[in-house]
């Protein structure tokens, strides 16, 4: 065990994280000996956990809910994406033992779109939801130069907040018109609390691509709503694997093979 590279993911809850399984497969394919563990960390223990993890030889951490915002204060260096977002999902250490915070969600989303031939450049993109998941992909999508990048949220005050935060990226509040949406991204957790519905029918059609940032069972209600319009439906499994691969690349300077990753319990 002693010579294994110590990695992990922290969250609250953490039981359902797929990250240990994904990183184990990346490492195995490359012959790297890693020990990647899930750690249940509550908010009050966050700073101390991160400090001791790295002080005791930890090599890298993934950060999941609810710590993506608050982990940033433990870092000495922030990537430009983290500066913009105020949130991170990956911590690594440099040769001076400084902790670097990065965010790979946006890159993971773009990579999965590219793997699935989902075009963003010159397309009309609407993101539903204005929480952490939504924010994490906005800068990366904006860099792909969509014709229009719009956001809609149940609570309008959060839409306004994000439009102001990302005004330099051209993010606009959604306004009903008659132009079809090319790519509709569900970044809400609405399906967890009941059926999914969004009042934008007149701008959806069989060409619209529906992408859910969640995956497995959590996508069922969004998919069944989307199925009345289009067969082009994707869940967030590909993004999950790709964001993990970009974290792995930050730690090991190698982008792992993501084409054959097996996920069990994806429906949890
Ligand atoms: P995450 O980190 O997964 O993004 P979050 O920050 O709690 O989680 O954000 C959840 C998002 O889902 C929010 O945009 C929330 O809308 P509000 O800002 O109005 O709360 C959205 N959401 C959750 N339940 C919803 C529902 N039943 N209908 C519509 N939107 C919902």
């Amino acid at each position: 065990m002693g010579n294994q590279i110590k990695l992990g993911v922290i969250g609250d809850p953490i039981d359902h994280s797929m990250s240990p399984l994904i990183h184990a497969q990346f490492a195995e394919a490359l012959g790297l000996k890693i020990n990647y563990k899930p750690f249940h960390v509550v908010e009050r223990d966050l700073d101390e956990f991160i400090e001791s993890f790295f002080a005791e030889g930890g090599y890298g951490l993934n950060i999941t809910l609810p710590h993506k915002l608050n982990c940033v204060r433990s870092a000495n260096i922030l990537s430009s994406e983290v500066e913009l977002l105020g949130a991170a999902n990956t911590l690594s250490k440099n040769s001076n033992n400084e902790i670097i915070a990065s965010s790979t969600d946006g890159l993971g989303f773009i990579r999965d779109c590219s793997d699935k031939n989902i075009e963003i450049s010159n397309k009309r993109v609407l993101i539903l939801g204005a929480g952490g998941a939504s924010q994490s992909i906005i800068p990366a999508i904006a860099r792909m130069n969509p014709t229009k990048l719009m956001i809609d949220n149940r609570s309008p005050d959060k839409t306004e907040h994000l439009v102001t935060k990302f005004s330099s990226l051209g993010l606009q509040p959604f306004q009903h018109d008659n132009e079809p949406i090319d790519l509709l991204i569900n970044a809400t957790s609405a399906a967890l609390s009941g059926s999914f519905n969004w009042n934008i029918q007149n701008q959806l059609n069989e060409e619209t691509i529906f992408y859910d940032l969640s995956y497995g069972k959590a996508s069922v209600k969004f998919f069944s709503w989307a199925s009345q319009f289009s067969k082009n439906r994707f869940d967030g499994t590909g993004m999950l694997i790709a964001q993990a691969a970009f974290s792995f690349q930050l730690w090991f300077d190698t982008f792992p093979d993501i084409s054959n990753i097996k996920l069990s319990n994806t429906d949890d």
Side-chain angles (χ1 to χ4, degrees), residues 92-106:
S92 47
K93 211 166 63 171
N94 68 12
S95 49
N96 294 328
N97 280 333
E98 292 166 314
I99 297 174
I100 305 165
S102 312
S103 177
T104 65
D105 288 328

Side-chain angles (χ1 to χ4, degrees), residues 116-144:
K116 296 187 159 80
N117 294 318
I118 300 172
E119 286 178 36
I120 297 174
S121 305
N122 302 317
K123 299 293 181 186
R124 288 168 51 88
V125 179
L126 171 59
I127 305 174
L128 307 180
S134 168
Q135 297 196 37
S136 71
I137 58 169
I138 289 170
I141 296 177
R143 285 194 290 270
M144 301 297 290

Side-chain angles (χ1 to χ4, degrees), residues 33-246:
K33 288 198 168 57
I34 67 166
N35 178 17
Y36 186 116
K37 279 199 203 151
F39 295 102
H40 179 218
V41 177
V42 296
E43 170 59 31
R44 69 173 176 280
D45 297 336
L46 179 65
D47 300 2
E48 201 189 323
F49 181 91
I50 295 173
E51 195 187 323
S52 19
F53 180 85
F54 283 104
E56 289 160 17
Y59 197 74
L61 277 179
N62 281 129
I63 314 292
T64 187
L65 300 179
H67 302 315
K68 289 186 171 190
L69 295 171
N70 286 338
C71 74
V72 172
R73 64 182 177 223
S74 294
N76 309 102
I77 299 169
L78 313 185
S79 74
S80 55
E81 194 86 340
V82 172
E83 293 270 7
L84 198 58
L85 295 170
N89 73 344
T90 309
L91 299 179
S92 47
K93 211 166 63 171
N94 68 12
S95 49
N96 294 328
N97 280 333
E98 292 166 314
I99 297 174
I100 305 165
S102 312
S103 177
T104 65
D105 288 328
L107 288 173
F109 177 77
I110 299 299
R111 167 68 188 236
D112 191 46
C113 286
S114 143
D115 286 351
K116 296 187 159 80
N117 294 318
I118 300 172
E119 286 178 36
I120 297 174
S121 305
N122 302 317
K123 299 293 181 186
R124 288 168 51 88
V125 179
L126 171 59
I127 305 174
L128 307 180
S134 168
Q135 297 196 37
S136 71
I137 58 169
I138 289 170
I141 296 177
R143 285 194 290 270
M144 301 297 290
N145 290 319
T147 310
K148 236 181 182 188
L149 178 54
M150 299 168 284
I151 183 158
D152 201 17
N153 192 51
R154 177 178 60 180
S155 326
D157 54 325
K158 280 206 217 158
T159 305
E160 263 173 52
H161 172 73
L162 283 203
V163 165
T164 307
K165 179 171 176 179
F166 295 122
S167 60
S168 64
L169 301 177
L171 182 67
Q172 303 174 28
F174 174 68
Q175 274 164 342
H176 287 275
D177 57 29
N178 288 317
E179 287 192 65
I181 310 291
D182 300 309
L183 173 58
L184 182 74
I185 302 161
N186 178 32
T188 75
S189 45
L192 296 180
S193 54
S195 62
F196 187 94
N197 191 31
W198 214 273
N199 185 22
I200 40 172
Q201 297 85 320
N202 68 314
Q203 288 170 257
L204 305 174
N205 58 46
E206 72 273 9
E207 306 285 319
T208 306
I209 292 171
F210 293 79
Y211 192 112
D212 196 345
L213 295 192
S214 50
Y215 51 88
K217 262 187 203 152
S219 292
V220 170
K221 287 172 187 151
F222 177 71
F223 272 24
S224 73
W225 173 77
S227 65
Q228 63 188 302
F229 309 105
S230 169
K231 289 200 174 67
N232 305 317
R233 303 186 297 268
F234 301 96
D235 79 357
T237 309
M239 171 181 168
L240 174 75
I241 295 168
Q243 60 79 28
F246 282 107

